[in-house]
């Protein structure tokens, strides 16, 4: 005899034998998003109301672009020595800075040296490490595989289109520091300005290649395209008969989620292209770039809900970074929290081998270890693949698929037979993680070449042994 209604708690009178005790709800950290008007603790934003803080134009206008502006915003929250360290750091950095008030509000200014958001966006001189001698500015060789400036055609069926070179923020670690942001004292940039004439050449090339089915529109950042240009680019590409799939890549949701809530025109353009694609039987999605669970707040949750309800699918690509997300706990929490707000974790990248950010890179071993701890903690479709975008243009390789990995010299060798058959690609662990003796060998050009040659021979032998 059932007295309880099986559609209502407690569902049944039967006693259920527990296999393990239920968790305490408060321990589910991925569901605990930052709430309230958290920005008011920053002196410059103390009087800013919610409507103003959520206005994307206000966010853009008040972005911090210099050490002086940072000082003015946080007014004594951080020690003066830290501000001096930032000033010196900016003189040496390959990227200019641009940090939204949203991010400024999420940084713990009592401990800025260890804050995962500060580390990503604001350089300090005292943490700079010596570059590995194998680092370059365009480590992915995107310019070598570009038939038209700003269009990289490396893989058989997909291409990367960079319509512009500006972003809502500038990340210290940008792979495209060869183009993105203002010229700095260190780097004079390649120009990729939003130029419809250059775009027309890219469109012509894409339409002329029947094998191209999939276009990544990145940048710079699709957030910075006007609503009109977003629609123009989206409509032009998705209506090409050869194109089946398209993604807009933007850091926006991680650094300025309020734009999704308040820039109606831009969001409507995005939804328009997604719906146009759907009518044509083609897939249009948004790819974004969260690196740390602190970047996901109630504002993010509302923004992602809006996109989810409008039928816009969002995937995430993170970069594994030392001091930011290089522990299993942080990475597990990030993936669970992304799932919580309906963002699907797609990739976690090894940090690209770009100059001036050696303090952010990790070893291949670190990535392998963290991957083992992340896989299995949530749904398989919310579990990212850890990849190394092999320097030299081999494309993304599963981190565990190295043909050879010497943990002493820090050399990992990958092959990419589906992309560039017959070639091998090397990733080099950060030099400061190697023994002093091996660090010295890297500084000597003859010994350096000997280590590389040895890795090449041993990886070829390892491959042969598998035949
Ligand atoms: C990453 C990338 C793509 C897309 O690759 P997926 O593995 O499909 O996400 C396309 N072109 C270039 C040059 C890329 O770097
Ligand atoms: S948003 Fe992307 S393209 Fe722009 S600076 Fe950051 S990493 Fe580079």
């Amino acid at each position: 005899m059932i007295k309880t209604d099986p559609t209502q708690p407690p569902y049944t009178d039967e006693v259920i034998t527990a296999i393990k005790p239920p968790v305490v709800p408060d321990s589910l950290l991925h569901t605990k998003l930052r709430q309230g008007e958290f920005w008011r603790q920053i002196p410059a934003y103390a009087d800013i109301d919610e409507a103003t803080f959520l206005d994307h134009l206000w966010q853009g206008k008040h972005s911090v672009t210099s050490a002086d502006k940072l000082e003015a915003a946080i007014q004594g929250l951080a020690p003066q020595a830290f501000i001096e360290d930032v000033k010196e750091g900016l003189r040496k950095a390959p990227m200019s800075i641009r940090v939204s008030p949203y991010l400024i509000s999420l940084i713990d200014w009592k401990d800025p040296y260890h804050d995962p958001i500060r580390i990503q966006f604001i350089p300090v001189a005292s943490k700079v490490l010596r570059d590995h001698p194998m680092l370059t500015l365009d480590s992915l060789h995107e310019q070598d595989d570009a038939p038209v400036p700003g269009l990289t055609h490396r893989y058989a069926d997909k291409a990367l289109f960079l319509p512009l070179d500006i972003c809502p923020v500038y990340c210290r670690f940008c792979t495209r520091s060869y183009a993105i942001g203002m010229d700095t004292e260190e780097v004079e940039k390649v120009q990729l300005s939003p130029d419809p004439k250059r775009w027309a050449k890219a469109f012509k090339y894409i339409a002329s290649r029947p094998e191209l089915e999939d276009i990544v529109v990145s940048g710079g950042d699709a957030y910075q395209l006007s609503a009109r240009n977003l629609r123009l680019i989206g409509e032009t590409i998705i209506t090409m008969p050869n194109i089946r799939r398209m993604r807009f890549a933007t850091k926006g949701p991680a650094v300025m989620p309020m734009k999704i809530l308040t820039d109606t025109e831009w969001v409507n353009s995005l939804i328009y292209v997604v719906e146009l694609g759907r009518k044509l039987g083609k897939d249009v999605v948004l790819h974004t770039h969260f690196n740390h669970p602190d970047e996901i707040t109630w504002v993010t949750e509302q923004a992602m809900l809006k996109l989810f309800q409008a039928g816009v699918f969002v995937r995430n690509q993170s970069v594994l970074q030392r001091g930011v997300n290089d522990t299993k706990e942080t990475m597990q929490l990030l993936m669970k929290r992304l799932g919580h707000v309906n963002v699907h974790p797609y990739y976690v990248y090894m940090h690209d081998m770009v100059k001036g950010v050696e303090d952010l890179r990790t070893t291949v071993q670190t990535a392998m270890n963290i991957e083992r701890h992340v896989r299995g903690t949530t749904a398989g479709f919310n579990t990212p693949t850890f990849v190394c975008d092999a320097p030299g243009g081999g494309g993304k390789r599963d981190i565990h698929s190295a043909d050879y990995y010497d943990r002493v010299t820090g050399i990992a060798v990958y092959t990419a037979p589906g992309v560039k058959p017959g070639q091998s690609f090397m990733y080099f662990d950060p030099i400061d993680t190697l023994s002093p003796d091996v660090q010295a060998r890297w500084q000597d050009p003859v010994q350096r070449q000997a280590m590389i040659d040895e890795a090449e021979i041993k990886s070829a032998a390892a491959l042969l042994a598998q035949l």
Side-chain angles (χ1 to χ4, degrees):
M1 185 182 65
I2 295 175
K3 279 178 290 177
T4 44
D5 176 350
T7 68
Q8 294 297 321
Y11 308 116
T12 173
D13 284 341
E14 268 181 71
V15 175
I16 313 276
T17 316
I19 306 168
K20 48 189 170 188
V23 303
V24 182
D26 274 350
S27 71
L28 299 174
L29 292 180
H30 63 283
T31 66
K32 311 273 177 246
L33 305 185
R34 191 126 177 212
Q35 301 294 328
E37 299 188 326
F38 51 81
W39 55 89
R40 292 203 190 242
Q41 43 151 355
I42 304 294
Y45 317 145
D47 298 326
I48 300 301
D49 61 16
E50 184 177 308
T52 308
F53 193 75
L54 292 189
D55 177 359
H56 69 284
L57 293 174
W58 185 87
Q59 288 283 330
K61 210 162 115 203
H62 292 85
S63 286
V64 167
T65 51
S66 67
D68 290 339
K69 287 189 180 167
L70 175 65
E71 208 171 355
I74 62 174
Q75 295 167 26
L77 280 189
Q80 191 57 33
F82 171 80
I83 301 286
E84 295 307 320
D85 206 355
V86 171
K87 286 185 183 161
E88 188 55 29
L90 280 173
R91 273 192 280 278
K92 295 183 180 160
M95 289 292 288
S96 37
I97 70 165
R98 185 173 160 86
V99 193
S100 62
Y102 174 75
L103 290 178
I104 294 285
S105 310
L106 295 176
I107 293 172
D108 175 6
W109 291 106
K110 286 197 279 311
D111 188 13
Y113 280 105
H114 297 106
D115 186 90
I117 297 177
R118 193 290 297 164
I119 294 173
Q120 295 179 69
F121 299 99
I122 304 173
V124 289
S126 63
K127 299 285 177 182
V128 173
L129 294 177
R130 183 164 61 171
D131 280 338
H132 196 293
M134 301 305 286
L135 299 191
T136 58
L137 261 186
D138 175 16
S139 77
L140 303 181
H141 295 216
E142 287 185 339
Q143 298 181 89
D144 296 352
D145 281 336
V148 174
L151 183 79
T152 298
H153 184 188
R154 165 166 308 150
Y155 297 96
D157 73 346
K158 57 194 175 188
L160 172 68
F161 175 38
L162 311 176
L164 77 176
D165 57 8
I166 47 175
C167 300
V169 294
Y170 293 136
C171 314
R172 283 182 58 208
F173 50 90
C174 185
T175 299
R176 304 204 179 104
S177 54
Y178 67 83
I180 305 297
M182 317 293 161
D183 288 346
T184 63
E185 284 180 32
E186 289 292 314
V187 186
E188 206 178 302
K189 315 263 165 169
V190 177
Q191 290 292 317
L192 292 178
S193 45
D195 169 10
K197 276 208 205 107
R198 182 171 65 82
W199 297 351
K201 282 190 209 159
F203 296 150
K204 184 168 181 185
Y205 178 86
I206 296 169
S208 75
R209 306 297 293 226
E211 70 276 25
L212 276 181
E213 303 189 333
D214 180 359
I215 305 299
V216 182
V217 179
S218 184
D221 195 299
Y223 240 44
Q224 300 309 104
L225 286 169
S226 66
R228 199 173 137 263
N229 282 335
L230 182 75
R231 186 181 163 126
L232 171 107
I233 291 173
E235 208 168 29
T236 308
I237 294 175
I238 206 65
T239 51
M240 292 177 186
N242 52 323
I243 298 304
R244 304 290 311 156
R245 288 175 293 283
M246 191 175 129
R247 347 172 187 171
F248 287 112
T250 170
K251 182 100 181 134
V255 298
M256 208 186 279
M258 46 284 288
K259 182 178 167 95
I260 310 272
L261 299 172
T262 56
D263 191 348
T264 313
E265 252 191 288
W266 189 89
V267 174
N268 285 349
S269 278
L270 174 67
I271 295 172
Y272 167 81
V273 180
V274 170
E275 286 179 348
L276 174 64
R278 193 171 295 128
K279 273 186 220 122
L280 296 169
K282 300 178 179 188
D283 192 35
V284 180
V285 305
L286 198 68
H287 274 207
T288 190
H289 179 181
F290 289 93
N291 282 335
H292 192 277
D294 285 1
E295 295 157 4
I296 305 171
T297 66
W298 68 266
V299 185
T300 327
E301 186 172 38
Q302 284 196 10
M304 294 303 99
L305 181 64
K306 179 168 172 179
L307 293 182
F308 186 76
Q309 289 176 335
V312 181
F313 195 87
V314 185
R315 296 196 192 104
N316 188 68
Q317 311 189 168
S318 299
V319 180
L320 178 62
Q321 292 175 328
R322 212 191 309 189
V324 174
N325 55 16
D326 62 339
T327 67
K328 58 182 192 299
E329 292 81 10
T330 304
M331 203 55 97
Q332 286 167 343
L333 182 59
L334 175 62
M335 298 314 152
K336 292 273 288 182
R337 193 167 277 175
L338 286 168
H340 186 69
V341 297
N342 289 317
V343 173
H344 293 255
Y346 176 36
Y347 282 142
V348 174
Y349 288 88
M350 281 306 287
H351 199 295
D352 285 327
M353 301 218 315
V354 286
K355 283 187 173 174
V357 288
E358 197 67 350
D359 56 308
L360 290 177
R361 296 203 303 126
T362 66
T363 62
V364 167
Q365 186 65 53
T366 305
M368 289 173 163
N369 292 348
I370 295 177
E371 195 279 343
R372 289 189 184 97
H373 283 95
V374 167
R375 185 161 297 279
T377 55
T378 190
F381 54 76
N382 275 344
T383 304
T385 308
F386 283 62
V387 292
C388 177
D389 203 340
K396 302 159 187 74
R397 311 308 302 170
D398 184 326
I399 196 70
H400 294 293
S401 72
D403 298 310
Y404 175 76
Y405 180 27
D406 183 337
R407 287 152 180 87
V408 175
T409 58
I411 304 179
V413 186
Y414 292 88
T415 41
V419 186
K420 298 203 168 156
Q423 289 187 43
S424 59
F425 304 92
M426 293 190 182
Y427 187 86
F428 304 96
D429 285 344
I431 194 129
D432 69 290
T433 63
L434 308 174
S435 71
D437 155 54
V438 177
Q439 290 189 36
R441 279 162 67 194
W442 275 112
Q443 297 312 324
D444 171 43
V446 176
Q447 296 198 52
R448 187 186 304 164
Q449 194 56 48
M451 287 188 283
I452 291 172
D453 291 345
E454 186 198 354
E456 192 85 62
I457 291 165
K458 288 193 171 163
S459 71
L463 268 181
L464 270 177
Q466 290 168 32
L467 290 180

